[in-house]
Amino acid sequence: MGRRMPAVSNGLSARARQRGVTLMEAMISLALSVVVTAAMVALMANSLGTASRIIQMSQLSDELRNTMSMLTRDVRRANYNPYAMYCYANPDCGLGADSSVTYSPDLNVVSYQSNDCLIYFLERNPPNGTPGTLSGGGFRLAANADNVGFIEMWAGDAAPGGNCAGDDDQWIAVTDPGFVDITTFAVDDDTESFTNTLPIEGGTSTLEQRARQVQIQIEGRLIRDGAITRRIEDTIKVRNDFISTS
C-alpha cells in the first residue's frame, strides 16, 4: 500500500495561498487612488468651467449682435422718401414746391455723455412744402448710477433732440445693464461716400446725389466676469441716397 501525505501539509499549503497585502501596500494603493481621483475632479472642474465660459461668451456675443441687427435695420432706412413718386416725369424735381424730395440732414452724429449718439430721419417733408413732424430715431450710449453702460433707442413720435439729451422717458434700453456693460459705442458716418451731380432738364440748378456708409463699433463686457469681452463692427450702407439742391 502507498503512503499518504500528512493532512497538516495540505492545510499549510492552503493557508500560504491565501496570503493578504501588507499595511504598506494598502497605504500606497490608497495614496494612488487619492491622486487619480483628485486629478479626475480637477479635470472635470476645468471642463465645466470652460463650458460655462464659452456659454457666457456666446450670450455676450448674442446680446451685441442683436443690438447691432436692430440698429442696422433702422439706419438702412434713413432718408426714406414716401413722396419720391412726385419725381417721375418731373424735370423740376427737387425745385420749388417739390423741394420736399430733398432733406438735410438725414444722418447726424453728436456727442452725448462724452459718447457718440446717432440720430437719423426716416421721412422728409410732405410735397406741399409745409414742414410736418419729421419721424426719426436714434441710438445713444448712456450709463446708470453704477456707471454701467447700456445702449438706448429713441422711441418717441417725433425726431429726438439735436444733442440726444432730455426726454429720457422716450429712450428705452436695448441692452441689459444687469448682464453686460457696454464700454464703447462709436459711430463714423464719414467712412466712405461718393457724390454724383444730376443736371435738371430745363433748369439752372442741379441735384447732388450722395451715397453714404456708416461704420458702427460696439464693445461690451460681462458684469459677472469683466475679463470676458466682445467687440463687433459693421458697415451700414444707407439704401436711400442723400439728394440736395446745388
Side-chain angles (χ1 to χ4, degrees):
M1 295 180 65
R3 299 180 58 187
R4 290 183 177 181
M5 297 295 294
V8 66
S9 298
N10 291 335
L12 290 174
S13 178
R15 284 196 295 271
R17 289 196 299 269
Q18 295 176 0
R19 180 181 177 185
V21 297
T22 64
L23 178 60
M24 182 62 68
E25 291 173 337
M27 292 180 65
I28 293 174
S29 299
L30 181 61
L32 290 175
S33 299
V34 170
V35 171
V36 172
T37 303
M40 292 179 62
V41 170
L43 180 61
M44 291 180 62
N46 184 64
S47 299
L48 291 176
T50 301
S52 176
R53 187 178 179 88
I54 291 175
I55 292 174
Q56 292 176 345
M57 293 170 66
S58 298
Q59 291 174 336
L60 177 58
S61 297
D62 289 343
E63 182 87 357
L64 299 184
R65 286 197 187 100
N66 290 337
T67 302
M68 182 69 79
S69 176
M70 183 183 305
L71 192 154
T72 300
R73 179 196 62 199
D74 283 0
V75 173
R76 279 178 178 169
R77 293 182 61 243
N79 210 27
Y80 165 72
N81 181 13
Y83 309 107
M85 66 181 69
Y86 291 92
C87 280
Y88 288 110
N90 182 2
D92 293 325
C93 178
L95 301 176
D98 295 317
S99 61
S100 57
V101 298
T102 66
Y103 181 72
S104 175
D106 60 337
L107 289 172
N108 194 17
V109 181
V110 299
S111 178
Y112 174 73
Q113 294 185 355
S114 301
N115 295 293
D116 281 348
C117 174
L118 174 63
I119 301 174
Y120 52 92
F121 294 92
L122 300 178
E123 191 172 305
R124 302 169 188 157
N125 293 333
N128 58 12
T130 302
T133 300
L134 296 175
S135 61
F139 287 88
R140 71 182 186 183
L141 178 60
N144 60 17
D146 297 325
N147 202 31
V148 175
F150 56 97
I151 294 179
E152 292 183 312
M153 179 180 67
W154 174 256
D157 293 333
N163 58 359
C164 289
D167 297 323
D168 289 338
D169 58 332
Q170 300 293 319
W171 292 89
I172 60 174
V174 293
T175 60
D176 183 4
F179 173 70
V180 59
D181 176 18
I182 302 298
T183 56
T184 300
F185 177 61
V187 183
D188 183 2
D189 61 341
D190 294 322
T191 54
E192 183 178 347
S193 64
F194 57 90
T195 302
N196 292 325
T197 300
L198 307 177
I200 301 176
E201 183 179 352
T204 58
S205 299
T206 58
L207 291 180
E208 188 176 82
Q209 180 185 38
R210 184 161 60 94
R212 287 130 318 129
Q213 296 190 85
V214 181
Q215 188 176 59
I216 308 291
Q217 181 186 113
I218 304 176
E219 185 172 353
R221 61 187 177 189
L222 285 181
I223 297 295
R224 291 177 292 178
D225 187 352
I228 299 180
T229 63
R230 275 291 179 269
R231 182 180 66 182
I232 61 174
E233 296 181 0
D234 194 8
T235 299
I236 305 169
K237 169 64 171 65
V238 181
R239 292 174 177 171
N240 307 291
D241 292 340
F242 174 87
I243 300 177
S244 60
T245 308
S246 60

